[in-house]
Amino acid sequence: MGIKSDDEKQTYTVDEAIVTMGFGKFQFCVLAYAGMGWISEAMEMMLLSFVGPAVQSLWHLSPNQESLITSVVFAGMLVGAYSWGIVSDNFGRRKGFLITAIVTSAAGLLSAFAPNYYLLLFFRCLVGLGLGGGPVLASWFLEFIPAPNRGFWMVIFQTFWTVGTILEAGIAWLVMPRLGWRWLLGLSAFPSSLLLLLYSVTPESPRYLCLKGRTAEARHVLEKIAKINGTKLPSGNLVSDWEHELQNKSLLSSSSNEDDTTPKEMARDEDSISEAKEMKSEDSTSTLANSNMGGITALLILLSPELIKSTLLLWLVFFGNAFSYYGLVLLTTELNNGQNKCVSNELQSGKSRDINYGDVFITSFAEFPGLLLAAAMVDRLGRKLSMSSMFFCCCIFLVPLLFQQPKGLTTGLLFGARICITVTFTVVYVYAPEIYPTSVRTTGVGVASSIGRIGGMVCPLVAVALVHGCHQTAALILFELVILLSGISVLLFPFETTGRGLSDSLPSSKLINT
């Protein structure tokens, strides 16, 4: 019976190759490109604070019509996050973010020329549809990061969102008083246009290629990474995670039975090895078939017995995060209206809607402490402890606001709460792609992001409406309950992902977890 040499037996996975090559120049380029997409999304979301009041006075819109400009963007994102996740899981990460960049840049530019309210709504809904592809870029970047420091670099990726909000506030400060809202819309479409200009140099995810059975293309991308980073690939042949695990299982079973075995036992072992090979062939075929799944199939996998607990808890956390984040941003102004007193809807509608762009620009820097805290915690304490502790701290910051407080203390407490919610928002975007296999990763994150968009849509309609209706205590109790439920949901997540390798398919995911 011939024995293979060590060189012939050696194999490596995409994860092992990326860990061996480390984080280098190549990953910095990928970070810059994906970060530009994140800046684009943040700018398009931030400008809603400025365009709404300007259009309201120009076209004499009612408060409901003005709020609809924001709602249609969230509605578009709700559809886009799910749709682009399916596209990128079936046809590649590159195709996913190419389509989203085309839709976002074109619709963003066209909305600057909208002649009336209804066309503006239509174009802003299309912008939201394109912005729903944000999780595709996040998953694409994640798949190039070495596992040991993945949390840190995903936090660095999240800082591009804060850069986008500050950049948009600065542009609005300069443009709105002089040139008006149309120029702001046009300039805000520029970052997504840059994604199109640089698209030709972007690589496909080697993990996605390996999942599809295109190992030669995956190896070519890995060789390119090694060349740019000035490192070398591991020796041996590139295999998928599932093939690697089956290979290790058969090697372990044969080596454990090598000593002190009878001829009958050896024959039985050979039979089991041949069965494992047949299983490997069948499973790799089913993995490739699953990687070409449709939207309903992908959703069923997310709700399969192996993933349903993680998926449902993740939806709760995304909803709670978005509801709390946008709520805290809105409450910062709502609870500081002059003397921090309740003002009825009738009086508010008669007030001037002037915006202090300088104040908005300065308060946009409030997220930086949260990002620094997230970077310090995410790999040291783990994803679950980082999120749960910050959710509970956020609750503590909001408790004193149940009673009347001086303006300075109110601002300080809201500032602390916003730091906490920035940490949870940042870390959940690290954790979410890690819990799903490559075959449904962007679909899983996309659906969770869609649930978060629902939280963003509901928040102004429910919580802020309570404040406007002189029910401040009820609004804050609602925030406390949502944030507390989110923290408990994090504690119930089935596993921690810090330092773990990414899995390619559901069977692989099951093996890793066991």
Side-chain angles (χ1 to χ4, degrees), residues 40-120:
S40 172
E41 181 167 345
M43 289 177 69
E44 293 288 358
M45 293 303 298
M46 187 71 177
L47 67 79
L48 297 171
S49 304
F50 310 118
V51 172
V55 172
Q56 189 268 341
S57 59
L58 175 67
W59 289 332
H60 308 291
L61 305 177
S62 68
N64 287 338
Q65 286 177 314
E66 181 190 342
S67 64
L68 196 58
I69 297 172
T70 300
S71 297
V72 295
V73 176
F74 279 111
M77 294 176 83
L78 181 67
V79 176
Y82 177 63
S83 304
W84 305 134
I86 293 169
V87 168
S88 65
D89 278 337
N90 283 306
F91 304 105
R93 311 308 191 216
R94 291 181 79 241
K95 285 187 176 67
F97 59 70
L98 170 64
I99 300 169
T100 61
I102 291 171
V103 173
T104 305
S105 57
L109 191 60
L110 287 170
S111 61
F113 296 96
N116 55 54
Y117 171 70
Y118 296 103
L119 273 177
L120 180 64

Side-chain angles (χ1 to χ4, degrees), residues 364-385:
S364 297
F365 283 90
E367 292 182 17
F368 273 118
L371 291 167
L372 292 173
L373 193 57
M377 295 172 70
V378 67
D379 282 327
R380 290 181 176 85
L381 300 182
R383 286 41 161 165
K384 290 176 63 176
L385 184 57

Side-chain angles (χ1 to χ4, degrees), residues 280-291:
K280 175 178 163 181
S281 175
E282 289 172 8
D283 287 322
S284 61
T285 303
S286 67
T287 298
L288 287 171
N290 285 340
S291 69

